[in-house]
Amino acid sequence: MSPPVAPPGWSRWLVPPAALSVHLSIGQAYAWSVFKPPLESALGLSGTQSALPFQLGIVMLGLSAAFGGTLVERNGPRWAMTVALICFSSGFLLSALGASLEQYWLIVLGYGFVGGIGLGIGYISPVSTLIKWFPDRPGMATGIAIMGFGGGALIASPWSAQMLESFGGDSTGIALAFLVHGLSYAVFMLLGVLLVRVPRHAPQVRGTARQAPAGPQVSAKQALRTPQFWLLWIVLCMNVTAGIGILEKAAPMITDFFADTSTPVSVTAAAGFVALLSAANMAGRIGWSSTSDLIGRKNVYRVYLGVGALMYALIAVFGDSSKPLFVLCALVILSFYGGGFATVPAYLKDLFGTYQVGAIHGRLLTAWSTAGVLGPLIVNWIADRQEEAGRHGASLYGLSFVIMIGLLVVGFVANELVRPVDPRHHVPTPKEAPRVERQQSESA
């Protein structure tokens, strides 16, 4: 499938809605915590077990983005969005079959493995295209699209809760909810497939002359040989681990925190909390990424990691005594989580240029795969062990929150170590190529 080229006069502002239609759909992944309690009840699962489809989905997101990044660059966004549509919707249909037959492994296979491939390819499908359409505002452009991934649960969380209430929380009701999700998202993602275009030429920003890409240009293969790539990998992994640890267990977490108080949290209110987190995730993606265009990527990551550690400390110490404080701190953490995702493509563009930024971004998302296992594993495993030890309420999460603070400090230090990429890693310009070849020959 050849990339669809925009005709003359095509507005670049039609591209973000195309990206949003895909990202709003695959952003359903952040509403997985709504399905955890009914799955645990219907199939007799522990909290750690019920997290497995989500964890595998995030692992496959990172792996498919890493291995598919070059294919996305080569075949274009329409091909990528089509693959994402097929995999993501098929994953829900397989999960519906698994729930109906009460075969949990089919839910893990469908939602986690097959659907996770759709997550990864769909996530990176518009990134490099948006950066090419908006060279003047890369942070804002990627923030608009990636905002949709963060905001997907804002729609999916109450929608899923309502379906489970209507269909029932048993295996049959869960299967019907999965089926409706799969069919509905297929239709919505198709809009993006039909609408997306790539620029015929590099867009000319008003008031500037068209010119060759400025700054460093580094290939995806060469980027892996730079310390900057691996420092950013650590930064992203730590930031994601801290956010996803709350997000994956959001509904049962807020219920546990206030179960022993005079104002316990209902199932409906817990689903509303998940939706609020999604709104913060979404707002952070556009708000913080746009801010990064003004204050710089490194400075905004200092905020994500430093203030994020402070928010975790406040929850750990005072969270169970104040519901507004708990919710506020969680919303701030999730805004940083979303902002980190939306800012990293522009951070990569600043360091490595636009040459193969989509492929580099795909490889960097293996950090998300690691965090997708690490975050839920830390929170769920510790909570399960604490519960076995007879603890309950907020004490289930104290240790895991301390670990998250430590991880954010590690990410903060890694961000401080980021420096401009050494020129020896740059792709030589046509004028520089003979000189580089001569130097290489002399050194040999």
Side-chain angles (χ1 to χ4, degrees), residues 100-113:
S100 178
L101 299 176
E102 297 189 2
Q103 296 294 316
Y104 188 56
W105 69 271
L106 269 176
I107 299 176
V108 175
L109 175 67
Y111 191 93
F113 185 81

Side-chain angles (χ1 to χ4, degrees), residues 202-264:
Q204 184 173 352
V205 181
R206 183 176 297 178
T208 63
R210 182 173 292 160
Q211 56 186 3
Q217 300 296 321
V218 183
S219 69
K221 182 178 180 181
Q222 197 65 24
L224 294 177
R225 300 174 180 174
T226 66
Q228 287 81 0
F229 177 88
W230 296 106
L231 287 170
L232 275 188
W233 192 97
I234 293 171
V235 167
L236 184 64
C237 184
M238 299 301 100
N239 193 55
V240 173
T241 300
I244 213 166
I246 287 181
L247 194 57
E248 186 276 336
K249 201 174 174 65
M253 181 183 289
I254 193 171
T255 303
D256 290 336
F257 247 81
F258 298 99
D260 300 329
T261 68
S262 59
T263 56

